Amino acid sequence: MKIKFRLIIILLLGMIRLANAQSRDNYNMWFQYLMSARLTDKSTLTALSQYRSFDLAYDTRLFLVSTYVDYEVANEVKPAAGFMFLVLDSYKSDNSKKERYEKRPFQQVTLGGNIGRTSVSHRFRVEERFISNPDEFIVRLRYLISLRIPFNRKGEKEKLYGILKNELRMNVVKEDPFDSNRITAGLGMKVGKNSAIEVAFINQLETGSTSNYGYIGYRNSFDWRKKNKNK
């Protein structure tokens, strides 16, 4: 357990060192809290908050809150609907900050499965983006493939796992339909029965630019289903 915890610390320190060494828009930090709660045997509520910065923590890049509810219509097939609110901070050419607000309803379908002991998830999402300053409306399509790779032996309790993700994002109506491609690689460590800490490196490719993030996340899962008292 101590060795695994040291691996997490080493990766985290490495990301902080890189964050201090790199310039704006080349290396940024990304902090996230995610909560999921089972509402019924078929439905789950997911909520998250996220903060991104141009430096270690203080130079705000983005803040968002989001929530959605999914429903399992077939084995490992979960359509969902949700809403996201964002505050977007970016730098203008004169090095001053520009703040924009975004309201984003979205719909998605998640397909789950396994390759051996590795769990695989495919998520297809449609977003309707209402952005202010100036007013803009964009419909965006996203496809995310996620792998969760257990590092424990079969039959052992999971403590450490690997994370691999790739997400392609495309705009429906725009001169340049390509929005971005985001690759994530990292480690997760269970710190309780229903909680985990995750650290990762994120590379985001956009038209004409590339951004790198050091990611630190914490996740919780809950069971809010009503128990059958007659059992």
Side-chain angles (χ1 to χ4, degrees), residues 15 36 53 56 60 79 82 104 106 112 117-118 130 132 138 141 156 184 193 196 198 202 213-214 229:
M15 290 190 301
S36 62
S53 62
L56 187 58
T60 302
R104 185 189 299 178
F106 61 88
R117 294 172 56 232
T118 297
F130 298 87
S132 66
I138 303 170
L141 306 179
E156 291 182 343
T184 303
K193 183 179 179 182
E198 297 178 343
I202 299 174
Y213 294 87
K229 296 181 179 180

Side-chain angles (χ1 to χ4, degrees), residues 22-229:
Q22 301 294 330
S23 60
R24 181 197 306 154
D25 258 346
N26 194 42
Y27 206 92
N28 315 272
M29 291 303 295
W30 178 320
F31 304 93
Q32 179 172 291
Y33 171 75
L34 184 145
M35 180 276 290
S36 62
R38 293 291 298 274
L39 303 177
T40 68
D41 291 344
K42 295 289 187 178
S43 61
T44 302
L45 167 70
T46 300
L48 68 87
S49 61
Q50 190 179 109
Y51 175 79
R52 303 181 205 169
S53 62
F54 287 104
D55 57 7
L56 187 58
Y58 300 106
D59 192 0
T60 302
R61 183 185 183 112
L62 176 151
F63 173 76
L64 71 82
V65 289
S66 175
T67 185
Y68 65 87
V69 176
D70 63 44
Y71 187 85
E72 188 172 25
V73 296
N75 185 40
E76 299 285 1
V77 180
K78 300 178 181 179
F83 183 82
M84 188 180 298
F85 175 77
L86 305 92
V87 181
L88 310 167
D89 283 294
S90 60
Y91 278 96
K92 297 188 292 185
S93 58
D94 61 0
N95 213 37
S96 63
K97 277 289 191 76
K98 178 181 181 179
E99 189 171 76
R100 308 183 76 185
Y101 297 92
E102 180 177 343
K103 299 173 183 177
R104 185 189 299 178
F106 61 88
Q107 307 78 44
Q108 67 183 40
V109 176
T110 303
L111 309 177
N114 293 278
I115 301 176
R117 294 172 56 232
T118 297
S119 59
V120 183
S121 173
H122 304 269
R123 189 187 72 189
F124 303 87
R125 176 180 286 185
V126 181
E127 301 174 325
E128 297 80 37
R129 306 180 63 195
F130 298 87
I131 309 172
S132 66
N133 191 27
D135 291 342
E136 188 176 9
F137 175 70
I138 303 170
V139 176
R140 187 166 66 179
L141 306 179
R142 301 170 62 160
Y143 166 65
L144 171 69
I145 180 170
S146 304
L147 280 72
R148 178 180 169 128
I149 307 163
F151 291 157
N152 59 297
R153 295 179 181 178
K154 188 174 182 179
E156 291 182 343
K157 188 176 180 180
E158 183 183 62
K159 293 182 180 179
L160 194 68
Y161 56 90
I163 303 163
L164 286 176
K165 299 180 183 181
N166 189 74
E167 183 175 41
L168 175 64
R169 306 191 294 183
M170 303 288 290
N171 298 306
V172 173
V173 180
K174 248 189 173 185
E175 291 183 6
D176 183 4
F178 175 75
D179 181 276
S180 58
N181 190 81
R182 182 182 293 163
I183 300 172
T184 303
L187 294 172
M189 185 177 72
K190 300 289 287 291
V191 294
K193 183 179 179 182
N194 300 308
S195 57
I197 295 174
E198 297 178 343
V199 295
F201 173 80
I202 299 174
N203 172 269
Q204 182 165 304
L205 174 66
E206 302 175 29
T207 302
S209 67
T210 300
S211 298
N212 299 304
Y213 294 87
Y215 170 88
I216 303 173
Y218 185 82
R219 59 170 62 232
N220 279 125
S221 60
F222 302 94
D223 191 342
W224 292 350
R225 290 174 291 182
K226 293 182 179 180
K227 305 299 182 182
N228 189 340
K229 296 181 179 180

